[in-house]
Amino acid sequence: MQQFTRFFTDEQRVRIHEASLEILENVGLLVRNKKAREIFAKHGCEVDNQTTLVKIPRKIVEECRKSFVPTYTFTAQDPQYDVTLPGDRPVVVTGSSAPNIIDPITGEERRATSADIANIAYLINELPGFDVFSISTLAEDAPKGQFSLSRFYPALKNCKKPVRSNTPSIADLEQVLELGYLIAGSKEAYMERPFINHHYCPVVSPLTMDVESTEAVIYLTEMGLPVYGTIVPNAGMTSPMTMMGTLVLGNAEFLALATLIQLIRPGAPMIYAVLSTVADMRTGNYAPGAVETGILQMAHTEMARFYNVPSGGYIGLTNSHVNDAQSGYETGINTTAALCAGADLFNMGGLLGSLMAFDFAKAVIDNEIALMLKRIKRGMEFSEENMALDLIKQVGPGGSYMDLEHTMANMRTTAVLPKVANRDPRGRWEDMGRPDAHARAMKEAKKILTKENPARFPAELDEKIRAHFPGIVAGDARWYE
């Protein structure tokens, strides 16, 4: 049986839950979306349409808890890449929706384009540590009326792993679903295997449900399509400046969203996903790379186990603007802490500067961290065979295991063999020009992106999509000139 790091006793977890119910029942939350208010009112919640305040009685939350389900599946275009939480944990996802990119040629930060998304999609398809491509950037070159298409089309065209992102409006969402129907061959085929995965942040801390994201969650839940939300309290700004106050507020916000989803469709899969942070009150700066983000993720994950739902979120982010020691220790410490606490989902890949810019080298480095996390998850793999007693007797004192078939058979599975981390003697490293981790990672990214892309759409399908959406971006992956 797996053991996880725990902060709380059974009694303390119950008290956190009770405190969250008190908030929902006595304080309530502002629900800006009219349809959401109607759903809450229909099921017995106290709704004030003038102020938009909704109070949710604990009995309604507790009734909805009965329909929580313990798994969530990310479906891919290629079924071999389907992943299910928690069984396939840790499921590693790219960070998403950054406006900018670090240009791989100039090293300068600039606005990202649809061509960048195509290249990132292909890179993530080829990096084995990543399980889901959450579209990493926006697309500055999107034609009018095709904002979301200009993100999802190059992503789906170049990546066969599950693709995840959001849309700013229902009109954009409907366009993206049309794209999915075309790729699948029909709406019916798509509904059987919905390989576009949707994610929103409908709850704006403190205790407010917005209009558009909430509308999208309702729309997708009613259709029976995959969707989940992330809760994002920021201590000192949008939640109390204590870890426990932020946990209780964020937990209440998760329960409010979960209740809405279950009222619409009991048994709808969900993820208890968070990006709970503590602001740096010396400046007011956002600090997703701080160790407190990892601690809060651990606590939320403990509550997710209390509710028997998958957990995770944006964990392993960095405030650093370059691939330096800060970037490495912020990503490494927080993801390891979350893994030890039992988190299932890790939105950790590729972003620098507090989610503001994608960097190809960072994605390759994070792929290596992801492989290490997966190795930690495997652990020691206790068995009589793995103790290798017969082999130890055979080799005996003073012998060598280096040239044995047993060593050759196990060398690639026992250890992570990194491509970025340097293990050469100093002299060899100096002879190679003293490359740092960033340089080695960029070399690996270029090596991948200059090869033929095996994930690309067949020409016939691409022609069909381009005829259906006139003027759509090219969406082709190719290395930068």
Side-chain angles (χ1 to χ4, degrees):
M1 181 179 177
Q2 255 185 326
Q3 300 294 319
F4 298 120
T5 302
R6 291 174 48 165
F7 290 136
F8 309 117
T9 65
D10 292 345
E11 293 77 14
Q12 288 170 338
R13 281 190 292 276
V14 170
R15 178 62 189 126
I16 292 166
H17 173 63
E18 289 290 329
S20 300
L21 294 180
E22 289 176 31
I23 292 170
L24 295 179
E25 188 167 49
N26 300 326
V27 179
L29 67 161
L30 299 176
V31 179
R32 304 301 192 191
N33 184 281
K34 181 181 178 183
K35 190 169 184 179
R37 291 199 303 273
E38 291 172 349
I39 293 168
F40 281 124
K42 178 182 175 183
H43 289 86
C45 298
E46 182 183 325
V47 176
D48 186 328
N49 283 307
Q50 292 297 315
T51 64
T52 74
L53 184 69
V54 174
K55 294 183 178 180
I56 309 174
R58 66 180 56 217
K59 65 180 181 180
I60 294 175
V61 180
E62 295 290 13
E63 188 62 30
C64 286
R65 274 185 66 192
K66 295 176 183 177
S67 61
F68 287 7
V69 294
T71 62
Y72 186 101
T73 296
F74 288 91
T75 305
Q77 291 184 72
D78 186 337
Q80 71 170 313
Y81 294 117
D82 290 359
V83 286
T84 298
L85 309 177
D88 293 323
R89 69 178 294 269
V91 170
V92 178
V93 187
T94 47
S96 55
S97 298
N100 299 334
I101 192 166
I102 307 300
D103 189 285
I105 303 300
T106 67
E108 298 297 318
E109 188 169 334
R110 60 167 173 78
R111 288 294 187 185
T113 68
S114 59
D116 294 318
I117 293 172
N119 282 331
I120 299 166
Y122 174 27
L123 181 71
I124 299 307
N125 193 75
E126 298 302 296
L127 291 174
F130 289 104
D131 302 294
V132 178
F133 177 40
S134 183
I135 305 175
S136 300
T137 69
L138 307 181
E140 180 75 4
D141 60 331
K144 186 176 180 180
Q146 294 189 354
F147 174 82
S148 295
L149 275 180
S150 299
R151 302 180 68 219
F152 279 88
Y153 170 61
L156 292 160
K157 185 176 182 178
N158 295 282
C159 185
K160 289 294 182 281
K161 294 178 181 179
V163 169
R164 188 212 83 160
S165 197
N166 53 36
T167 52
S169 67
I170 293 297
D172 271 40
L173 177 55
E174 289 174 339
Q175 271 193 334
V176 168
L177 291 175
E178 278 184 51
L179 175 62
Y181 304 156
L182 286 169
I183 296 169
S186 68
K187 180 177 179 179
E188 293 72 24
Y190 179 81
M191 295 299 290
E192 287 181 13
R193 283 189 53 80
F195 49 77
I196 298 172
N197 300 269
H198 305 273
H199 165 264
Y200 295 89
C201 296
V203 182
V204 181
S205 298
L207 297 168
T208 303
M209 279 191 181
D210 76 354
V211 178
E212 293 292 350
S213 292
T214 304
E215 187 76 20
V217 170
I218 294 170
Y219 181 93
L220 290 161
T221 303
E222 288 177 338
M223 288 188 71
L225 292 172
V227 62
Y228 71 97
T230 295
I231 303 302
V232 290
N234 184 16
M237 295 290 190
T238 63
S239 66
M241 183 46 99
T242 66
M243 304 284 271
M244 287 302 303
T246 296
L247 171 63
V248 169
L249 179 72
N251 194 66
E253 292 175 338
F254 163 73
L255 288 174
L257 178 59
T259 297
L260 176 63
I261 290 172
Q262 298 304 313
L263 290 175
I264 297 167
R265 184 162 61 92
M270 307 178 300
I271 303 173
Y272 188 144
V274 298
L275 174 48
S276 291
T277 52
V278 176
D280 188 329
M281 296 307 292
R282 296 171 298 181
T283 58
N285 286 342
Y286 189 47
V291 70
E292 291 79 17
T293 305
I295 297 168
L296 284 164
Q297 177 67 74
M298 294 169 76
H300 283 293
T301 290
E302 196 167 344
M303 292 309 298
R305 287 203 304 278
F306 177 81
Y307 299 122
N308 195 27
V309 293
S311 69
Y314 284 81
I315 187 68
L317 304 174
T318 182
N319 288 84
S320 181
H321 300 287
V322 295
N323 289 303
D324 58 4
Q326 177 186 344
S327 173
Y329 69 65
E330 287 180 340
T331 298
I333 287 173
N334 283 334
T335 53
T336 302
L339 182 75
C340 290
D344 306 306
L345 183 77
F346 295 73
N347 279 97
M348 56 169 279
L351 299 191
L352 294 170
S354 307
L355 298 104
M356 289 301 291
F358 177 86
D359 182 75
F360 283 95
K362 172 66 170 162
V364 174
I365 292 168
D366 288 344
N367 172 72
E368 214 145 271
I369 294 173
L371 292 173
M372 293 177 187
L373 292 171
K374 292 171 188 285
R375 183 64 188 89
I376 293 171
K377 163 61 170 57
R378 279 175 52 201
M380 289 299 295
E381 298 172 316
F382 180 89
S383 72
E384 291 294 327
E385 180 185 359
N386 283 343
M387 284 195 276
L389 288 177
D390 289 342
L391 189 65
I392 293 169
K393 292 174 185 175
Q394 176 189 326
V395 173
S400 172
Y401 295 85
M402 190 169 183
D403 59 353
L404 299 182
E405 286 186 13
H406 181 274
T407 300
M408 295 296 291
N410 288 281
M411 61 178 285
R412 295 187 182 277
T413 55
T414 295
V416 174
L417 302 177
K419 296 182 178 179
V420 175
N422 182 17
R423 295 172 175 177
D424 290 326
R426 184 176 183 88
R428 176 169 170 74
W429 170 70
E430 289 180 340
D431 290 344
M432 295 173 67
R434 300 186 170 197
D436 59 14
H438 176 85
R440 292 192 295 274
M442 279 303 304
K443 182 178 179 181
E444 185 65 20
K446 183 176 181 180
K447 179 181 176 182
I448 291 171
L449 290 172
T450 49
K451 294 189 303 184
E452 187 67 26
N453 180 4
R456 195 181 188 282
F457 282 160
E460 183 180 351
L461 172 59
D462 205 34
E463 289 171 10
K464 186 177 180 180
I465 293 169
R466 302 191 67 79
H468 189 83
F469 297 109
I472 196 169
V473 296
D476 294 318
R478 61 170 59 89
W479 184 246
Y480 299 85
E481 297 298 330

